[in-house]
Amino acid sequence: MNASSSGKARAASSSQPSDSSSKRKRGIFQKELQHMMYGFGDDPNPLPETVALVEDIVLEYVTDFAHKAQDMGSKRGKLSVEDFLYLVRKDAPKLNRCKELLSMQEELKQARKAFDVDEEKLAASLD
Amino acid sequence: MEEQMNRYESFRRSGFQKAAMKRLLVSVTGSQKVTMPMTIAMSGIAKMFVGEIVETARIVMSERKESGPIRPCHIREAYRRLKLEGKVPKRTVPRLSFARFSPTQL
């Protein structure tokens, strides 16, 4: 892990995203956040400083969330998606959405697998 | 009506880029074993959290009888309220993150 990637992990001592978000103005999520914020109710063109602040908050949220999941996981040996689900067990909308997304991903995976198998059968039958 | 459709489309289609979210999770956990399900779950959770922030910010604005694009002060107040509601993970103990160490230090 080189030093530049550690910039994404926030110093544990701060409890508030800093007002000068210049430390993390990398804008890694900037484009998607603009669309997301509009979708959730902001103006069609959200203010750049607002997007930057939301990005800071989201980065901190994901960092703290993942650390907590890791604390759960370490008790059972390895980090797993179950640890993420456990952290939202009391938040019904988030939990349900996760289950929905995960089952969709599983369905897609199975569908792709079936497609590959069919292709092989077809290729074999043509020999 | 078209505005509503545009907004709804943005709502449906927007999402955190999987590669970037995975990179973030890897750097935070110092682990290579970040799976696609973890990335998908985290992205979904984070998106809903953004929704909570934006919706709460709009509530703050209407209380203040303000209009226009959301400003940072509204986000800050929204974030404060969400913390009070327990919707933001708390930092318990300062964590030792392997992501902060260079390979030679480990």
Side-chain angles (χ1 to χ4, degrees):
Chain A
M1 264 310 144
N2 59 29
S4 60
S5 67
S6 70
K8 285 182 193 145
R10 207 106 170 74
S13 52
S14 68
S15 58
Q16 280 261 332
S18 66
D19 284 352
S20 62
S21 46
S22 52
K23 264 188 221 167
R24 284 202 295 189
K25 227 170 202 152
R26 292 171 199 254
I28 52 171
F29 289 138
Q30 185 201 30
K31 273 211 148 60
E32 303 111 300
L33 275 177
Q34 284 172 329
H35 295 302
M36 215 181 276
M37 288 171 64
Y38 170 54
F40 281 123
D42 200 353
D43 260 32
N45 292 306
L47 296 176
E49 56 265 40
T50 307
V51 177
L53 178 57
V54 172
E55 177 172 58
D56 271 3
I57 290 174
V58 167
L59 289 175
E60 187 165 286
Y61 181 87
V62 171
T63 300
D64 294 342
F65 195 98
H67 277 158
K68 282 198 126 158
Q70 204 167 24
D71 289 340
M72 299 287 135
S74 68
K75 290 175 188 154
R76 291 188 294 116
K78 194 171 79 166
L79 181 65
S80 90
V81 69
E82 297 299 325
D83 301 313
F84 287 74
L85 297 179
Y86 180 79
L87 288 180
V88 292
R89 70 197 182 284
K90 294 186 189 160
D91 189 331
K94 291 203 182 84
L95 182 62
N96 290 334
R97 180 59 178 162
C98 280
K99 288 181 177 171
E100 182 182 36
L101 289 169
L102 291 172
S103 79
M104 269 166 56
Q105 189 236 359
E106 187 56 34
E107 267 187 61
L108 280 170
K109 206 168 102 177
Q110 296 306 327
R112 273 187 223 117
K113 227 197 248 177
F115 179 74
D116 289 336
V117 171
D118 284 344
E119 282 219 311
E120 278 177 33
K121 279 192 197 152
L122 181 64
S125 70
L126 291 174
D127 282 341
Chain B
M1 181 55 195
E2 192 185 327
E3 158 86 29
Q4 254 199 84
M5 283 165 59
N6 286 339
R7 191 185 296 278
Y8 182 66
E9 187 173 326
S10 279
F11 162 71
R12 291 280 292 177
R13 289 197 183 185
S14 62
F16 294 104
Q17 222 214 8
K18 286 210 183 74
M21 182 58 81
K22 178 169 177 178
R23 265 197 305 273
L24 174 58
L25 286 174
V26 167
S27 85
V28 164
T29 61
S31 156
Q32 295 303 314
K33 292 274 171 81
V34 171
T35 62
M36 190 50 64
M38 290 179 207
T39 305
I40 287 172
M42 193 72 246
S43 298
I45 292 166
K47 178 173 174 178
M48 293 182 77
F49 179 65
V50 171
E52 288 169 336
I53 290 185
V54 171
E55 286 174 24
T56 307
R58 277 303 192 199
I59 290 173
V60 170
M61 285 179 80
S62 74
E63 288 169 6
R64 298 180 186 177
K65 301 204 180 2
E66 291 171 2
S67 62
I70 299 175
R71 298 201 306 278
C73 61
H74 307 130
I75 298 290
R76 272 189 280 271
E77 174 58 16
Y79 185 53
R80 190 190 70 85
R81 292 186 191 186
L82 288 175
K83 278 200 266 200
L84 288 175
E85 286 177 45
K87 298 217 143 177
V88 178
K90 272 180 244 177
R91 311 194 132 177
T92 46
V93 178
R95 267 191 116 267
L96 183 70
S97 164
F98 290 110
R100 294 202 199 101
F101 290 93
S102 69
T104 52
Q105 280 178 285
L106 282 170

